[in-house]
């Protein structure tokens, strides 16, 4: 059910009139007090494997809603795990790997 809802609803939510500049959509499943699964639909792109900002938002929202009480939470996406540390008040820290996945130039250089 979750997979189907993600695929059907995410593109519709992205372009809903309530979001005139479109929006990204994150679907979460709290697996435990220190582990959260997330699927990410990024506006203008579609599904992405990971999002550091989204991982921080998911961890903070889970803590504020009482789903997570730990100051360190593992956020698991299709791209792997990120760890978010937050004491509930100050700065949020994101811990995890970074990978080079693309190189490009803008504007593109023309080859004659």
């Amino acid at each position: 059910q979750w997979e189907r809802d993600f695929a059907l609803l995410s593109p519709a939510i992205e372009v809903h009139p309530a979001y005139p500049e479109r929006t990204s959509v994150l679907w979460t499943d709290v697996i435990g007090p220190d582990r959260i699964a997330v699927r990410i639909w990024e506006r203008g792109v579609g599904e992405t494997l990971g999002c550091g900002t989204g991982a921080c938002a998911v961890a903070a929202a889970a803590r504020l809603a009482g789903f997570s009480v730990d100051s360190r939470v593992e956020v698991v996406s299709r791209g792997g795990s990120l760890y978010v540390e937050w004491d509930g008040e100050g700065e949020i820290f994101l811990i995890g790997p970074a990978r080079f996945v693309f190189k490009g130039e803008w504007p593109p250089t023309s080859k004659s």
Side-chain angles (χ1 to χ4, degrees):
Q1 180 70 30
W2 202 56
E3 298 282 327
R4 188 180 75 219
D5 289 346
F6 175 83
L8 288 174
L9 296 177
S10 297
I13 294 169
E14 175 190 358
V15 298
H16 189 277
Y19 307 105
E21 294 183 33
R22 298 189 301 182
T23 191
S24 296
V25 183
L26 283 80
W27 295 68
T28 62
D29 182 16
V30 178
I31 299 167
D34 64 348
R35 193 162 198 242
I36 303 167
V38 64
R39 294 277 301 273
I40 304 139
W41 184 272
E42 197 165 334
R43 72 176 180 177
V45 178
E47 185 170 13
T48 58
L49 298 178
C51 175
T53 304
C56 291
V58 164
R63 177 128 189 207
L64 290 171
F67 292 114
S68 172
V69 294
D70 294 341
S71 61
R72 182 178 170 117
V73 175
E74 178 184 13
V75 180
V76 183
S77 68
R78 289 198 161 185
S81 291
L82 293 171
Y83 297 88
V84 178
E85 291 184 0
W86 185 46
D87 64 6
E89 294 181 16
E91 296 175 323
I92 297 176
F93 296 94
L94 179 65
I95 303 152
R99 294 187 192 102
F100 184 80
V101 295
F102 180 79
K103 180 179 179 180
E105 288 185 30
W106 190 257
T109 57
S110 62
K111 296 182 179 184
S112 321

